[in-house]
């Protein structure tokens, strides 16, 4: 399969997964509520007035944004690690077996995604809970951009958010411009800011004292990544404690935005441990990452933070794309469970861990 044909199958495979992702996201949302005992419902005491800043719009119906393409090809991204959590980059199609609803499937495409360009968003929480860790975040993000960005091939952008999401640097392949934007990231509205203590302050001001994690993910997808070429691999690196206080969107809606645009979210859970308000929402960060095909990291110090960025970089360079056409040709909208396992007897002894999406819904 040549690259252009491969690109068309990837796009079609994403469409097949949208319906599956929507139900899975709703289940994840319910599980997160049950675990945390807190609602994800947006704060209702304030109604933001229109401002030049970007704010999300309601999730569109599938027919409004997605061009329907007739295809029976299903795509699955795979990452494999060994017992020491090192990425395995030498797998071949013969080393793995793919089953759908327990039935073996013929893999038609198996390739490491090393040459496909990257479209990245560095999405940074600049609310008050990040004040004491912002310097570490800037340093780690700077090293990440310097190491991951390939001149003439990859692009990245920098977005920051409180209750309002701001595009600090639109997509560019110019590393100095990105590094300049990262260097300017700071917490402007601290807990002691008079605006944040004033209950009568105008909503457009107090929004900057809040945190809209879910809205910011949607803005990153809608305003930035959805406008990048579909032939790129799209990813968001989210730095936040996940403690959303004012988003209009719910968790599952933010994830749905990412799924629709074939975007993986890598979460780095970080906050000032001594900050008295809110908490680290590991449940939210894990859900938004795992349900989009990424992973969540929870560094304990600056060294761990740098290691988290390094892990993300390695994973972006170590993914495999697997394509197949299901033997079940019924277009009945049913859920199809996908299972990947190691077929090579020697590799099975190494107890490799495989990361991939677990299923999809068939077309109707």
């Amino acid at each position: 399969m040549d690259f252009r044909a491969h690109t068309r199958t990837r796009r079609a495979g994403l469409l097949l997964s949208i319906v599956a992702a929507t139900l899975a996201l709703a289940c994840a949302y319910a599980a997160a509520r049950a675990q945390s005992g807190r609602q994800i419902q947006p704060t209702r005491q304030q109604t933001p007035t229109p401002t030049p800043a970007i704010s999300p719009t309601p999730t569109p119906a599938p027919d409004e944004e997605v061009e329907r393409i007739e295809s029976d090809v299903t795509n699955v991204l795979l990452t494999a690690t060994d017992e020491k959590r090192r990425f395995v980059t030498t797998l071949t199609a013969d080393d793995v077996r793919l089953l759908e609803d327990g039935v073996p499937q013929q893999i038609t495409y198996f390739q490491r995604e090393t040459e496909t360009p990257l479209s990245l968003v560095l999405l940074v929480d600049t609310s008050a809970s990040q004040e004491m860790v912002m310097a570490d975040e800037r340093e780690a993000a700077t090293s990440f951009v310097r190491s991951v960005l390939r001149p003439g091939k990859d692009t990245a952008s920098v977005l920051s958010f409180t209750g309002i999401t701001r595009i600090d640097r639109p997509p560019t392949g110019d590393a100095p411009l990105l590094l300049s934007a990262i260097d300017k990231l700071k917490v402007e509205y601290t807990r002691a800011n008079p605006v944040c203590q004033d209950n009568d302050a105008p909503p457009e001001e107090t929004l900057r004292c809040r945190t809209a994690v879910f809205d910011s993910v949607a803005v990153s997808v809608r305003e930035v990544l959805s406008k990048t070429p579909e032939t790129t691999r799209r990813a968001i690196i989210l730095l936040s404690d996940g403690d959303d206080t004012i988003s209009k969107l719910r968790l599952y809606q933010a994830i749905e935005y990412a799924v629709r645009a074939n975007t993986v979210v890598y979460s780095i859970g970080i906050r000032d441990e001594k900050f008295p308000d809110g908490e680290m929402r590991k449940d939210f960060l894990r859900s938004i990452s795992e349900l989009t095909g990424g992973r969540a990291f929870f560094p304990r110090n600056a060294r761990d933070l740098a290691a988290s960025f390094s892990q993300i970089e390695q994973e972006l360079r170590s993914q495999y794309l697997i394509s197949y056409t299901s033997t079940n040709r019924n277009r009945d909208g049913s859920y199809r469970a996908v299972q990947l396992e190691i077929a090579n007897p020697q590799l099975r002894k190494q107890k490799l861990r495989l990361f991939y999406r677990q299923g999809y819904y068939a077309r109707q």
Side-chain angles (χ1 to χ4, degrees), residues 327-357:
T327 56
N328 184 351
R329 300 302 177 88
N330 295 325
R331 298 194 172 193
D332 53 9
S334 63
Y335 180 77
R336 312 282 178 81
V338 173
Q339 180 182 353
L340 281 167
E341 57 187 34
I342 296 297
N344 185 318
Q346 296 301 317
L347 289 177
R348 279 204 299 268
K349 297 177 182 178
Q350 298 181 25
K351 299 180 180 179
L352 304 183
R353 292 190 64 189
L354 305 182
F355 302 91
Y356 57 94
R357 65 183 175 98

Side-chain angles (χ1 to χ4, degrees), residues 28-29 32-33 36 38-43 54-57 59 123 125 159 161-165 210-222 236 238 240-258 265 267 281-289:
Y29 166 65
R33 288 184 60 184
S36 65
R38 291 181 53 202
Q39 286 190 327
I40 312 176
Q41 185 71 26
T43 302
I54 302 168
S55 59
T57 55
T59 305
L123 181 59
D125 184 344
L159 279 70
F161 68 95
T162 52
I164 298 173
T165 302
R210 310 290 184 178
T211 311
V213 183
F214 311 146
D215 285 359
S216 73
V217 171
V219 170
S220 298
V221 172
R222 192 187 71 240
I236 295 172
L238 169 64
S240 175
D241 57 13
D243 193 22
D244 195 300
T245 63
I246 202 169
S247 279
K248 294 179 180 179
L249 299 181
R250 297 181 177 182
L251 172 61
Y252 77 89
Q253 291 173 306
I255 300 172
E256 184 177 356
Y257 262 98
V265 180
S267 297
R281 295 310 305 261
K282 292 184 177 181
D283 51 348
F284 291 169
L285 295 176
R286 285 195 178 104
S287 291
I288 206 167
S289 292

Side-chain angles (χ1 to χ4, degrees), residues 67-247:
E67 178 186 355
R68 296 190 179 277
I69 301 175
E70 295 298 321
S71 175
D72 293 320
V73 175
T74 300
N75 297 318
V76 181
L77 278 173
L78 167 67
T79 302
T81 60
D82 62 17
E83 289 184 290
K84 295 183 179 180
R85 298 184 179 180
R86 295 174 300 193
F87 291 102
V88 179
T89 59
T90 57
L91 294 179
T92 68
D94 294 332
D95 292 327
V96 300
R97 186 167 72 140
L98 190 150
L99 300 92
E100 181 181 287
D101 290 337
V103 178
Q105 304 293 316
Q106 179 66 44
I107 294 174
T108 56
Y109 185 88
F110 187 100
Q111 185 67 44
R112 274 188 66 197
E113 293 285 88
T114 55
E115 295 303 320
T116 306
L118 296 169
S119 294
L120 305 175
V121 166
L122 187 66
L123 181 59
V124 184
D125 184 344
T126 55
S127 64
S129 65
Q130 306 297 305
E131 183 180 12
M132 301 307 295
V133 294
M134 185 56 63
D136 292 337
E137 292 181 43
R138 287 195 300 265
E139 182 177 351
T142 295
S143 298
F144 175 76
V145 167
R146 284 175 173 163
S147 61
V148 77
L149 201 69
R150 296 171 295 184
K153 177 168 286 192
D154 303 325
T155 61
S157 54
V158 179
L159 279 70
S160 59
F161 68 95
T162 52
I164 298 173
T165 302
R166 182 173 65 187
I167 300 178
D168 299 294
R169 175 54 58 187
T172 180
D174 190 323
L177 291 177
L178 291 166
L179 298 179
S180 176
I182 292 171
D183 189 57
K184 294 176 183 177
L185 292 171
K186 63 179 180 179
V187 175
E188 296 180 350
Y189 282 68
T190 66
R191 189 169 182 268
N193 190 298
V195 172
C196 301
Q197 303 297 322
D198 185 1
N199 293 330
D200 296 322
E204 61 268 23
E205 287 295 317
T206 57
L207 270 175
R208 303 179 190 278
C209 304
R210 310 290 184 178
T211 311
V213 183
F214 311 146
D215 285 359
S216 73
V217 171
V219 170
S220 298
V221 172
R222 192 187 71 240
E223 301 295 334
V224 179
L225 290 175
S226 65
K227 300 177 182 180
T228 61
E230 292 188 7
T231 54
T232 65
R233 285 180 293 151
R234 299 166 176 169
I236 295 172
I237 293 86
L238 169 64
L239 289 93
S240 175
D241 57 13
D243 193 22
D244 195 300
T245 63
I246 202 169
S247 279

